[in-house]
Amino acid sequence: MKEITDSEFNRIRDYIKANYGINMGKEKKSLIYSRLRTTLVKKGFENFTQYFDDLIADKSGEAVIDFVDRVTTNHTFFMRETDHFDYFKDNVLPHMEKTLENQKDLCLWCAGCSSGEEPNTLQMILQDYFGNKGWNTDILATDISSQILDKAVHSVYPNDRVATVPETWRKKYFQKFDDHNSVVMDSVKKNIIYRRFNLMEPEYRFKKKMHVIFCRNVMIYFDNDTRDKVVQKFYDATAPGGYLFIGHSESLTHTKTPYKYIKPAVYRKE
């Protein structure tokens, strides 16, 4: 099979940027080749031009799903940026408990949830905090990759990855899957709703405004203009007094974001 040409790479790169907001510089050319070549071989395409023309022409949606699964990066782990979870537990939840005491309905969205470690962690915190107080704490967890969402739904993780979870949680919220893996218990999983969602949608239409949005280490792949537009849509989808958590390697343009800066990587809608 032929190597990917510059013009072929540019077509694919521009398609990714236009549809998913992800920036890929020339240094990603070999990565695109390595991630897509299996599909080319499987379908008998002689070059990336044939592959891309088929991708655009496909009406079933299957080619796009496979494409997104292959070109997106999904890297996460339990307890990533732990201070966010501490702030969520010690500051956000007490505030929300007081503010929403009549409704007892907390709306939380994990955007870019990857393989599920983040929403599972947040749900464990919620169950520890609210216990049997009758609160609705369902979490909406979204990603653009169908493949990674399937892994999140099942929430089966190698034991060495689960080892970073506090021991009390390992005993309370995990059970043995096999000799090498553990699985999150149904009591946690049943309160997480997984959906495929593209952050490039023109607007985010949800039945209710979100009280907390976690979108961490996703916007590092966006240029400034795309990031600012996504943040504005997050803001529009956030309830007054709600919070946005982003990754520590990310930052918002203070002159453009309507969110109020609270602390590194934590913002609030006044």
Side-chain angles (χ1 to χ4, degrees), residues 106-169:
L106 179 64
C107 298
L108 198 155
W109 176 21
C110 287
C113 66
S114 192
S115 46
E117 287 90 336
E118 180 178 271
N120 278 316
T121 299
L122 290 169
Q123 187 57 234
M124 293 174 206
I125 293 172
L126 289 168
Q127 293 193 18
D128 275 359
Y129 187 88
F130 287 109
N132 298 317
K133 295 180 181 179
W135 278 70
N136 173 34
T137 58
D138 286 352
I139 295 173
L140 173 65
T142 66
D143 205 283
I144 59 171
S145 170
S146 299
Q147 186 178 61
I148 205 67
L149 283 172
D150 185 62
K151 291 182 178 180
V153 167
H154 291 90
S155 290
V156 177
Y157 304 103
N159 290 333
D160 59 346
R161 289 172 63 181
V162 177
T164 59
V165 174
E167 184 179 1
T168 54
W169 281 2

Side-chain angles (χ1 to χ4, degrees), residues 5 10 38 41 57 65 88 109 134-136 138 167 170 178 183 185-186 198 217 220 225 235 246 253 259-261 270:
T5 66
N10 290 339
T38 303
V41 171
I65 289 173
F88 175 71
W109 176 21
W135 278 70
N136 173 34
D138 286 352
E167 184 179 1
R170 294 201 303 271
D178 57 32
V183 59
M185 296 183 70
D186 289 343
N198 186 353
N217 305 298
I220 53 174
D225 182 60
Y235 186 83
I246 65 175
T253 306
Y259 282 106
K260 178 183 178 181
Y261 173 86
E270 294 293 282

Side-chain angles (χ1 to χ4, degrees), residues 20 33 40 42 67 71 77 92 94 103 117 121-122 145 154 157 162 165 171 173 186 260:
Y20 308 107
Y33 173 83
L40 268 72
K42 181 180 179 180
F67 175 79
V71 302
F77 47 88
V92 175
Q103 304 99 306
E117 287 90 336
T121 299
L122 290 169
S145 170
H154 291 90
Y157 304 103
V162 177
V165 174
K171 292 179 178 179
Y173 297 121
D186 289 343
K260 178 183 178 181

Side-chain angles (χ1 to χ4, degrees), residues 28-256:
K28 301 294 185 180
K29 182 178 174 181
S30 60
L31 180 143
I32 290 296
Y33 173 83
S34 64
R35 290 189 176 182
L36 295 178
R37 68 181 304 276
T38 303
T39 301
L40 268 72
V41 171
K42 181 180 179 180
K43 292 193 173 184
F45 296 132
E46 295 183 0
N47 52 56
F48 280 83
T49 296
Q50 290 181 0
Y51 166 78
F52 188 74
D53 289 345
D54 179 79
L55 175 70
I56 298 301
D58 178 65
K59 302 300 182 183
S60 69
E62 293 180 4
V64 170
I65 289 173
D66 178 76
F67 175 79
V68 171
D69 287 344
R70 293 184 182 279
V71 302
T72 51
T73 298
N74 297 286
H75 173 69
T76 189
F77 47 88
F78 282 108
M79 312 310 295
R80 186 178 189 180
E81 299 179 345
T82 307
D83 64 304
H84 276 167
F85 298 123
D86 292 338
Y87 188 83
F88 175 71
K89 176 185 65 178
D90 298 334
N91 296 274
V92 175
L93 289 185
H95 170 75
M96 292 299 173
E97 183 178 26
K98 181 178 180 180
T99 304
L100 305 173
E101 60 181 343
N102 293 326
Q103 304 99 306
K104 292 188 175 182
D105 187 8
L106 179 64
C107 298
L108 198 155
W109 176 21
C110 287
C113 66
S114 192
S115 46
E117 287 90 336
E118 180 178 271
N120 278 316
T121 299
L122 290 169
Q123 187 57 234
M124 293 174 206
I125 293 172
L126 289 168
Q127 293 193 18
D128 275 359
Y129 187 88
F130 287 109
N132 298 317
K133 295 180 181 179
W135 278 70
N136 173 34
T137 58
D138 286 352
I139 295 173
L140 173 65
T142 66
D143 205 283
I144 59 171
S145 170
S146 299
Q147 186 178 61
I148 205 67
L149 283 172
D150 185 62
K151 291 182 178 180
V153 167
H154 291 90
S155 290
V156 177
Y157 304 103
N159 290 333
D160 59 346
R161 289 172 63 181
V162 177
T164 59
V165 174
E167 184 179 1
T168 54
W169 281 2
R170 294 201 303 271
K171 292 179 178 179
K172 186 176 181 181
Y173 297 121
F174 289 82
Q175 61 188 26
K176 179 179 178 180
F177 183 79
D178 57 32
D179 289 342
H180 305 289
N181 300 280
S182 299
V183 59
V184 175
M185 296 183 70
D186 289 343
S187 59
V188 173
K189 293 192 290 183
K190 71 179 182 180
N191 294 301
I192 303 173
I193 303 163
Y194 288 102
R195 294 288 185 270
R196 188 169 184 268
F197 188 83
N198 186 353
L199 292 177
M200 294 302 105
E201 291 291 331
E203 56 183 306
Y204 304 158
R205 296 182 177 179
F206 301 116
K207 292 181 179 179
K208 301 176 182 177
K209 297 287 187 180
M210 298 295 168
H211 299 111
V212 183
I213 298 175
F214 273 74
C215 185
R216 304 189 303 165
N217 305 298
V218 174
M219 293 186 288
I220 53 174
Y221 302 107
F222 299 163
D223 62 22
N224 291 340
D225 182 60
T226 301
R227 181 200 60 207
D228 291 343
K229 289 177 180 178
V230 167
V231 170
Q232 181 62 54
K233 288 182 283 188
F234 280 147
Y235 186 83
D236 294 338
T238 303
Y243 290 83
L244 171 67
F245 289 77
I246 65 175
H248 281 294
S249 59
E250 302 167 310
S251 62
L252 304 187
T253 306
H254 295 306
T255 57
K256 291 186 178 181

